[in-house]
């Protein structure tokens, strides 16, 4: 546990206890940030807090995130193991397959799983872009799929080219829709300003649910 003493409280101690039982250590640090930020890594929940937020607010925010951290920790560990084994992907044994967040009745080697995910993502991508481009009010010139370990999506605003991670089909399809909305909104705002997030929220009011589901799994969004 690495928590500044001013944040200690019965509520936070309870959160720390629940996390510890799940094999997760809590680390809290003060930073120059506007909001409380959470990052879930293998066996660690890292929390960055603004200096102006009260200890009570910090404890309450962390306590609310405990169920999310515990629920998603297994997938974080799986992603970490997959990333470590990248150098020997061809020799990885078959493993269970998740498609749009649902466990399938078969297993595949890593390479075959990537091909399976690429095919699944290729099939839905045109439909999802046709759905969301009018809602966001922006069109991409080009859409590409890529085996990205560190990003869920990225956007080249000059070329209006959007990349999607082939690992997205492992999660509910709404996560892919959120990534598409996120990247399309960058065609309006090239940064992550308040105006950008307002554009995301206007297009997809429930985006936070899918954002949180992907958060801490190693992939980021540009």
């Amino acid at each position: 546990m690495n928590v500044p003493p001013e944040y200690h409280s019965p509520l936070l101690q309870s959160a720390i206890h629940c996390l510890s039982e799940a094999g997760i250590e809590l680390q809290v640090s003060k930073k120059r940030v506007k909001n409380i930020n959470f990052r879930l890594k293998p066996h660690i929940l890292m929390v960055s807090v603004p200096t102006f937020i009260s200890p009570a607010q910090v404890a309450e925010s962390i306590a609310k995130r405990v169920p999310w951290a515990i629920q998603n920790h297994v997938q974080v560990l799986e992603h970490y193991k997959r990333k470590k084994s990248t150098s020997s992907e061809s020799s990885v044994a078959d493993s269970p397959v998740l498609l749009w967040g649902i466990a399938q009745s078969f297993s595949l080697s890593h390479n075959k799983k990537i091909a399976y995910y690429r095919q699944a993502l290729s099939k839905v991508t045109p439909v999802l872009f046709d759905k969301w481009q009018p809602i966001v009010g922006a069109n991409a010139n080009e859409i590409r799929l890529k085996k990205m370990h560190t990003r869920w999506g990225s956007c080249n605003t000059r070329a209006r080219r959007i990349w999607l991670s082939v690992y997205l089909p492992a999660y509910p399809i709404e996560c892919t829709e959120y990534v598409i909305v996120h990247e399309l909104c960058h065609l309006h705002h090239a940064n992550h300003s308040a105006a950008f997030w307002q554009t995301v929220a206007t297009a997809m009011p429930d985006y936070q649910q899918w954002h949180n589901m992907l958060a801490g799994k190693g992939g980021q969004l540009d």
Side-chain angles (χ1 to χ4, degrees):
M1 180 185 70
N2 184 4
V3 181
E6 61 266 34
Y7 295 126
H8 287 205
S9 68
L11 179 60
L12 190 61
Q13 290 298 326
S14 176
I16 291 171
H17 176 73
C18 292
L19 289 169
S20 179
E21 287 193 333
I24 305 171
E25 177 187 352
L26 178 65
Q27 293 186 1
V28 179
S29 59
K30 296 180 181 179
K31 292 187 177 180
R32 287 186 175 182
V33 292
K34 294 182 179 180
N35 302 298
I36 300 177
N37 297 319
F38 295 85
R39 187 176 182 187
L40 185 59
K41 301 179 71 176
H43 304 294
I44 301 174
L45 175 61
M46 303 175 68
V47 186
S48 302
V49 300
T51 55
F52 59 84
I53 290 184
S54 70
Q57 288 177 294
V58 173
E60 184 178 356
S61 295
I62 293 174
K64 288 181 179 178
R65 278 300 187 104
V66 166
W68 165 82
I70 293 174
Q71 179 182 354
N72 287 281
H73 190 233
V74 173
Q75 289 181 312
V76 171
L77 292 175
E78 181 182 345
H79 180 87
Y80 176 73
K81 291 176 182 177
R82 184 176 68 225
K83 190 174 179 181
K84 284 186 66 176
S85 65
T86 300
S87 59
S88 57
E89 287 176 351
S90 60
S91 63
V92 174
D94 287 5
S95 60
V97 175
L98 288 172
L99 181 61
W100 308 125
I102 300 173
Q104 303 299 295
S105 60
F106 54 88
S107 299
L108 293 172
S109 68
H110 184 85
N111 288 345
K112 290 183 178 180
K113 186 184 294 186
I114 294 303
Y116 180 74
Y117 283 161
R118 185 182 293 275
Q119 182 180 26
L121 191 56
S122 296
K123 185 176 181 180
V124 302
T125 295
V127 176
L128 295 183
F129 271 87
D130 285 347
K131 171 184 176 180
W132 288 104
Q133 286 180 144
I135 295 173
V136 176
N139 294 323
N141 289 338
E142 190 176 3
I143 302 154
R144 295 185 182 181
L145 312 182
K146 189 176 182 180
K147 189 170 67 174
M148 297 187 286
H149 289 286
T150 59
R151 301 197 184 282
W152 296 118
S154 64
C155 179
N156 183 318
T157 54
R158 289 186 179 181
R160 303 182 75 85
R161 180 187 304 118
I162 290 176
W163 294 85
L164 300 176
S165 170
V166 294
Y167 293 107
L168 280 168
Y171 302 95
I173 197 166
E174 290 86 354
C175 291
T176 297
E177 294 190 76
Y178 161 63
V179 174
I180 290 172
V181 170
H182 184 112
E183 303 307 339
L184 285 173
C185 286
H186 275 312
L187 297 177
H188 291 300
H189 307 281
N191 50 30
H192 289 104
S193 62
F196 166 80
W197 288 112
Q198 183 57 54
T199 303
V200 174
T202 300
M204 192 179 200
D206 64 343
Y207 83 90
Q208 191 71 54
Q209 177 181 353
W210 315 114
H211 170 87
N212 290 345
M213 189 171 289
L214 292 175
K217 293 182 171 60
Q220 300 179 5
L221 291 167
D222 264 359

